[in-house]
């Protein structure tokens, strides 16, 4: 009571007081409506900005394309310089790229970050001698630079995370020093038009198809593992991978007048030859649902192609044998006939010869029919048995002319 009197004397009489009211739900609904209107306004502003960006991009699309082609020519690695490395060899490349693919997927980085990281790695190896024990460190530094350059800031890996993925093989300072050394070697030129950038331009020419995009990225990432595509320009690789992806998925190809229709047939064949044995890490990555299971689709496509090849290589099935019934003898049809003597059936006697048939001068009988002889021969008439010496002489003559194999 004394406290109440003291507060009244100090602050005066207070006539206002707070009463619980049921109008709080109305204020909450009004606040929610205002927040909804702000969200709708932000979405409208974003759509207007995207439309303006698209119109501006269409206006400067040709200039942008020229700049991208110029940049890719300036930032293409030299495969011949990598060949002369003393310690690192090409068989080590798949192991390092498996590590980079796993790290890229673990941090959920953008697709262009992986292509840029591999480009930085190859460009550095084109200019500096890399020791085998530092090969993985250079790959981590390239991934760190690529993530800082174009990816979201909250997804950029830290040095501690990279060190943990490398099993503490390198110190924290080594990552920082290698990152600085890579940038110094490349003259701080990090920008590079990746395959993903050209792919987005090619996909904009047709209605969007997520499966085609994922298949193209899968084929392009397979190309990262192989030496023959290190110096291939990203624009050529993007169009060729897109053409192969559409072929695998049975999608119609782009028109020849479109930019994506000018693909390189030789590069397409080279990419198709490497679809049979992809990296297990890469195949497992693209077997997920959010990437359309494209690695499984490729395996099924290759199995169908192998079955078709085996079917084409198999010997053709012989046609069914048709057996014709022998005609019945005429005697069975018309009754008994007068027996005829076969003059050629058993005409050769043990100590004799065949009496020549009566034929035209230019024909000769070969046992199956009459054929034209090479030269017309006039056979002498049947000898008259007037003297045994003449019979023996003429019999030997007919035996030689009619029964010798070269005359048969």
């Amino acid at each position: 009571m004394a406290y109440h009197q003291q507060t009244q004397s100090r602050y005066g009489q207070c006539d206002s007081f707070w009463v619980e009211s049921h109008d709080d739900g109305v204020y909450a609904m009004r606040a929610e409506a205002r927040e909804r209107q702000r969200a709708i306004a932000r979405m409208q502003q974003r759509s207007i900005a995207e439309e303006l960006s698209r119109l501006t991009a269409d206006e400067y699309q040709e200039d942008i394309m020229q700049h991208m082609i110029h940049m890719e020519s300036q930032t293409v690695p030299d495969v011949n310089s990598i060949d002369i490395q003393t310690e690192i060899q090409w068989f080590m490349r798949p192991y390092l790229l498996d590590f980079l693919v796993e790290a890229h997927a673990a941090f959920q980085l953008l697709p262009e970050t992986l292509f840029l990281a591999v480009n930085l790695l190859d460009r550095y190896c084109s200019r500096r001698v890399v020791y085998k024990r530092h090969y993985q460190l250079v790959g981590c530094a390239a991934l760190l630079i690529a993530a800082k350059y174009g990816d979201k800031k909250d997804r950029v890996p830290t040095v501690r995370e990279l060190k943990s993925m490398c099993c503490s093989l390198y110190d924290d300072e080594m990552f920082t020093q290698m990152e600085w050394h890579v940038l110094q070697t490349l003259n701080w030129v990090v920008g590079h038009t990746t395959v993903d950038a050209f792919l987005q331009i090619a996909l904009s020419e047709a209605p969007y198809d997520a499966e085609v995009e994922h298949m193209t990225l899968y084929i392009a990432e397979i190309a990262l593992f192989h030496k023959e595509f290190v110096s291939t320009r990203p624009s050529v690789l993007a169009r060729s991978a897109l053409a192969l992806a559409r072929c695998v998925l049975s999608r119609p190809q782009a028109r020849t007048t479109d930019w994506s229709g000018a693909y390189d047939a030789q590069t397409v064949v080279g990419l198709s030859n490497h679809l049979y044995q992809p990296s297990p890490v890469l195949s497992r990555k693209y077997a997920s649902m959010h990437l359309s299971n494209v690695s499984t689709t490729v395996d099924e496509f290759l199995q169908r192609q192998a079955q078709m090849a085996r079917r084409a290589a198999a010997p053709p099935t012989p046609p069914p044998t048709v057996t014709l019934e022998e005609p019945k003898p005429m005697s069975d049809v018309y009754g008994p006939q007068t027996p005829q003597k076969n003059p050629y059936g058993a005409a050769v006697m043990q100590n004799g010869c065949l009496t020549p048939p009566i034929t035209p001068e230019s024909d000769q009988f070969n046992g199956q029919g009459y054929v034209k002889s090479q030269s017309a021969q006039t056979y002498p008439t049947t000898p008259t048995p007037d003297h045994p010496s003449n019979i023996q002489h003429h019999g030997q003559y007919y035996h030689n002319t009619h029964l010798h194999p070269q005359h048969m």
Side-chain angles (χ1 to χ4, degrees), residues 235-293:
S235 59
V236 178
L237 189 60
R239 287 180 289 190
S240 302
L242 178 59
L244 181 58
R246 287 171 173 169
C247 178
V248 172
L249 297 174
S250 301
R251 301 291 199 276
Q253 294 291 340
R255 298 186 299 269
T256 56
T257 56
D258 296 338
W259 181 81
S260 60
Y263 56 84
D264 184 25
Q266 186 176 0
T267 305
V268 174
V269 174
L271 291 172
S272 63
N273 293 333
H274 294 290
L275 293 179
Y276 293 92
Q277 293 180 347
S279 167
V281 175
L282 199 62
S283 180
R284 185 170 59 252
K285 170 187 173 181
Y286 279 92
S288 59
M289 290 294 297
H290 70 280
L291 291 175
S292 303
N293 297 328

Side-chain angles (χ1 to χ4, degrees), residues 17 35 37 42 67 128 134 159 176 222 266 304 345 395:
F17 55 91
E35 186 63 28
Q37 291 177 359
R42 286 194 297 267
H67 177 70
R128 296 288 185 180
H134 293 157
V159 174
T176 306
I222 290 177
Q266 186 176 0
R304 291 195 302 268

Side-chain angles (χ1 to χ4, degrees), residues 48-192:
I48 293 174
E50 291 178 355
E51 182 66 19
L52 292 176
S53 299
R54 187 185 62 81
L55 294 176
T56 306
D58 293 341
E59 183 179 357
Y60 294 99
Q61 185 66 40
E62 185 176 355
D63 296 338
I64 294 174
M65 181 64 69
Q66 292 179 359
H67 177 70
M68 293 174 64
I69 294 176
H70 173 73
M71 285 295 298
E72 73 168 354
S73 63
Q74 298 296 322
T75 56
V76 172
D78 186 9
V79 67
N80 296 323
S81 299
I82 303 177
D83 274 335
I84 63 177
Q85 289 283 345
T86 56
E87 289 199 9
I88 61 173
Q89 302 296 328
W90 287 107
F91 73 87
M92 304 177 185
R93 183 181 181 87
Y95 297 98
L96 178 60
L97 287 185
D98 282 340
F99 170 78
L100 293 179
V101 168
E102 288 183 337
H104 176 268
F107 295 116
Q108 299 180 357
L109 303 175
L110 296 175
E112 61 185 18
T113 302
L114 178 62
F115 293 104
L116 180 58
V118 176
N119 176 261
L120 296 175
L121 170 67
D122 293 334
R123 286 163 59 191
Y124 180 83
C125 294
S126 301
R127 301 185 181 184
R128 296 288 185 180
V129 177
V130 181
Y131 294 106
K132 182 169 58 177
R133 63 180 182 273
H134 293 157
Y135 197 30
Q136 188 180 15
L137 180 61
V138 176
C140 291
L143 183 64
L144 184 60
I145 295 171
K148 289 181 179 180
Y149 181 79
D151 219 302
K152 297 180 179 180
K153 302 306 178 184
D154 57 342
R155 296 185 179 180
V156 175
T158 61
V159 174
R160 181 177 299 180
E161 292 172 337
L162 292 176
K163 179 181 177 181
S164 177
M165 296 191 70
C166 295
C167 301
S168 300
L169 185 62
Y170 310 105
D171 298 333
D172 295 351
E173 295 182 356
M174 297 181 68
F175 286 96
T176 306
Q177 292 178 1
M178 183 56 70
E179 181 183 1
W180 177 86
H181 197 261
V182 170
L183 293 172
Q184 196 76 8
T185 302
L186 302 180
N187 297 323
W188 297 84
V189 179
V190 181
H192 169 71

Side-chain angles (χ1 to χ4, degrees), residues 6 43 175 216 272:
Q6 184 179 0
M43 293 178 60
F175 286 96
T216 307
S272 63

